[in-house]
Amino acid sequence: MTYKTREWRNSMRVKLDFNNMTDTFLGDKGFSAKKLASYSSRANQAFRYVKENRGKDELYMGWTELPYNQDAIVADILQTAKAIRNKFQYFVVLGIGGSALGPIMAFNALCHLHYNDLPRSKRKGPKFYVEDNVDPVRMRDLLDVIDPAKTCFNVISKSGATSETMTQYLIILDLLKKAGVDVKENVIFTTDANKGNLKKISDEVGGIKSYILPDGVGGRFSQLCPVGLLPAAVLGIDIKGLLAGAGYMDYLCRQPSMRKNPALMCAVLQIAAMEEGKNVGVMMPYSDNLKYIADWYCQLWAESLGKNVTLDGKPCNVGQTPVKSLGVTDQHSQVQLYTEGPFDKVVTFLSLEKYGCEMPIPHGCENIPDVSFLGGHTMEELIQAENAATAYALTKAGRMNYTILLPELNAFTLGQLLFLFELQTAYAGAMLNINTFNQPGVEEGKKATFALLGKAGYSEKKKELDSLPAKDPACII
């Protein structure tokens, strides 16, 4: 790793503090050292499974090697991103799931929170939008604020058969044709290297610029491949820093001991909590920039661990429901439930040691003590105090919580955080003895959608839907 100096990398290390999961702080509601040690064997097996299967495309574990095998791709992306910034006023991602959540998350994390409202001289890049739904109002309203002829569209789908993404593409294709614009000039595909509908379309058109979504990388693990790297580079995000951060976290997690491997310990803490009935995992960043990390994590955790059969074919129905929350905002909406509701939650705090600015709080209202005490502090002090206070309140109430601490938010620390969560998920799935990387539960809804829209080959599914009992008017009130 050559990214900056060793001293700088170490100063940017993302750390895990799980004191508030232990009996020292929670009493009989927390884990004893003996209890955690009882998971050592399963944790070691999970570590070995991930280590032995790194990079295996057939197991969808190619994501483990993304920090190391993309030098040529990164160079090409940086060149393309520069051309896009120079040519286009708008950049729009057409995708869904990981193809959308990753770009949204990185945009929010590392760009100005009002990026699109900035003048071009301050943005230094096109306005950015991600269309991750097929609500017709959303598409209409996007078209009210962009000019398709001045927009680069990044269509992301490995199969090119994702109904939502291809619907968006058909609409945009029609608009470009009506505007007399050659689709090759305004569209970039991110798709499979050798097969799929986008590959067919590219071949028919005569070669649309395309990036590869690697075979061994599932959508929810795809932020560190061209799916996420191209949009990030267009926005001026340091994608080399993202990958370097991921590689650094991978290095930190090469230790087989859960006491030295933060991702493995995160997996153990969640699995142990789940097996004591903590079936809800709350992700609570104390940073507006990290708000959409929770959305990205929700897909990663839910789609990976929500399974009904083990690798050896036994029924299981496992998983933990992820919930997104935002500090300080949700102290005023959700924390009441977390502190006094059921003992069924684990709260993961994402905390910053240093924010992008301090924002001093002026003195004023000296005759009102409830207000005047704030003067002379900073907003950074206030949000950090509220973070610590919420963790304290939860701990006092016997509620499990732990903190992932970032020295500051930059591309390197974000890369660490993403890889930490990906490894945690892989370890947790291995401990549960499930297939972490498939999503069969999504398929039934897809098939029913195809049948309802008359797609060829789904006539039997349509008959199945038509055979449902008629709805009882008495149940519609």
Side-chain angles (χ1 to χ4, degrees):
M1 183 186 296
T2 59
Y3 192 80
K4 300 198 176 181
T5 66
R6 178 181 297 178
E7 291 74 20
W8 184 87
R9 294 195 299 271
N10 290 341
S11 74
M12 289 293 118
R13 178 173 178 170
V14 172
K15 296 179 181 178
L16 166 67
D17 178 354
F18 62 95
N19 277 284
N20 292 347
M21 299 288 286
T22 69
D23 57 358
T24 302
F25 286 82
L26 292 177
D28 61 4
K29 296 289 197 301
F31 297 134
S32 66
K34 182 178 180 181
K35 173 71 173 180
L36 289 176
S38 71
Y39 283 86
S40 293
S41 178
R42 286 172 67 186
N44 287 338
Q45 289 176 7
F47 176 83
R48 288 197 300 272
Y49 178 86
V50 173
K51 181 180 179 180
E52 290 169 2
N53 291 293
R54 289 180 64 100
K56 291 186 177 179
D57 287 350
E58 66 273 19
L59 297 178
Y60 273 83
M61 288 189 67
W63 57 271
T64 59
E65 307 313 300
L66 292 176
Y68 314 110
N69 62 7
Q70 299 189 96
D71 288 351
I73 295 168
V74 166
D76 187 275
I77 285 174
L78 290 173
Q79 185 177 8
T80 299
K82 182 178 179 180
I84 290 170
R85 287 197 299 273
N86 290 334
K87 180 178 179 181
F88 293 102
Q89 294 184 19
Y90 312 94
F91 185 84
V92 176
V93 169
L94 305 181
I96 199 164
S99 301
L101 289 170
I104 291 170
M105 173 271 299
F107 170 54
N108 193 76
L110 297 175
C111 293
H112 192 287
L113 288 173
H114 299 285
Y115 173 90
N116 281 349
D117 296 326
L118 294 172
R120 180 66 186 247
S121 61
K122 291 187 176 181
R123 276 189 284 112
K124 298 181 181 179
K127 290 187 177 183
F128 181 71
Y129 301 93
V130 179
E131 294 303 299
D132 66 341
N133 208 341
V134 287
D135 184 328
V137 175
R138 178 167 180 161
M139 178 58 74
R140 179 201 67 190
D141 290 357
L142 172 71
L143 297 176
D144 281 342
V145 297
I146 69 167
D147 178 350
K150 298 176 182 178
T151 304
C152 180
F153 296 94
N154 183 200
V155 185
I156 307 176
S157 173
K158 187 169 184 62
S159 66
T162 311
S163 296
E164 299 86 355
T165 303
M166 297 312 294
T167 293
Q168 296 167 345
Y169 172 72
L170 289 171
I171 291 169
I172 296 304
L173 178 65
D174 182 61
L175 290 171
L176 291 175
K177 286 181 177 178
K178 289 176 179 177
V181 176
D182 186 344
V183 65
K184 290 187 293 185
E185 296 299 316
N186 287 56
V187 171
I188 296 176
F189 291 159
T190 305
T191 190
D192 191 88
N194 302 305
K195 58 183 183 295
N197 294 325
L198 292 183
K199 180 68 169 60
K200 292 179 184 176
I201 292 169
S202 178
D203 290 344
E204 289 173 2
V205 170
I208 293 175
K209 175 72 175 179
S210 299
Y211 286 102
I212 304 307
L213 206 170
D215 286 338
V217 179
R220 57 190 179 272
F221 288 84
S222 65
Q223 173 57 24
L224 296 173
C225 78
V227 167
L229 295 181
L230 175 61
V234 169
L235 292 164
I237 291 170
D238 178 11
I239 61 174
K240 291 183 178 180
L242 279 172
L243 293 170
Y248 183 68
M249 180 54 66
D250 189 33
Y251 163 76
L252 295 177
C253 295
R254 293 295 176 102
Q255 298 291 332
S257 168
M258 64 184 182
R259 290 281 181 175
K260 296 181 180 180
N261 181 329
L264 189 57
M265 178 57 82
C266 283
V268 168
L269 292 171
Q270 291 287 10
I271 295 296
M274 289 162 61
E275 293 179 350
E276 290 193 359
K278 308 296 188 296
N279 295 319
V280 177
V282 179
M283 179 63 64
M284 194 168 188
Y286 269 75
S287 163
D288 273 56
N289 286 109
L290 291 174
K291 178 179 180 178
Y292 289 102
I293 278 280
D295 294 70
W296 175 84
Y297 176 83
C298 281
Q299 185 203 9
L300 181 71
W301 197 245
E303 204 165 66
S304 296
L305 301 188
K307 302 295 162 62
N308 66 2
V309 64
T310 63
L311 288 172
D312 46 1
K314 297 177 182 177
C316 59
N317 296 111
V318 296
Q320 183 191 57
T321 301
V323 171
K324 58 183 180 179
S325 188
L326 177 65
V328 172
T329 301
D330 289 318
Q331 287 176 208
H332 297 268
S333 64
Q334 298 181 28
V335 167
Q336 171 64 34
L337 173 66
Y338 302 162
T339 53
E340 295 189 2
F343 285 84
D344 62 351
K345 300 171 189 67
V346 179
V347 178
T348 303
F349 292 110
L350 300 183
S351 304
L352 293 178
E353 287 184 313
K354 181 182 179 183
Y355 287 74
C357 65
E358 291 189 339
M359 195 61 65
I361 303 172
H363 291 281
C365 301
E366 301 300 337
N367 61 330
I368 306 175
D370 288 345
V371 179
S372 62
F373 82 97
L374 295 166
H377 293 288
T378 67
M379 291 186 77
E380 181 181 62
E381 286 182 273
L382 178 59
I383 195 170
Q384 289 174 334
E386 297 212 43
N387 189 172
T390 302
Y392 166 76
L394 288 171
T395 304
K396 183 178 179 180
R399 311 304 171 122
M400 289 186 170
N401 65 93
Y402 62 90
T403 296
I404 297 173
L405 188 63
L406 288 73
E408 64 182 56
L409 182 55
N410 56 44
F412 186 78
T413 57
L414 182 64
Q416 287 182 69
L417 192 61
L418 301 184
F419 214 77
L420 170 69
F421 288 144
E422 290 176 349
L423 281 172
Q424 175 199 19
T425 303
Y427 291 142
M431 291 180 70
L432 292 170
N433 191 34
I434 58 170
N435 186 334
T436 313
F437 306 104
N438 67 356
Q439 53 276 338
V442 178
E443 297 306 313
E444 184 63 24
K446 288 183 179 180
K447 293 173 183 176
T449 300
F450 296 156
L452 289 170
L453 292 178
K455 184 176 180 179
Y458 290 86
S459 57
E460 290 302 312
K461 180 60 64 177
K462 183 63 167 62
K463 290 178 183 177
E464 182 183 320
L465 289 164
D466 290 343
S467 69
L468 290 172
K471 290 195 174 183
D472 185 350
C475 295
I476 303 173
I477 57 174

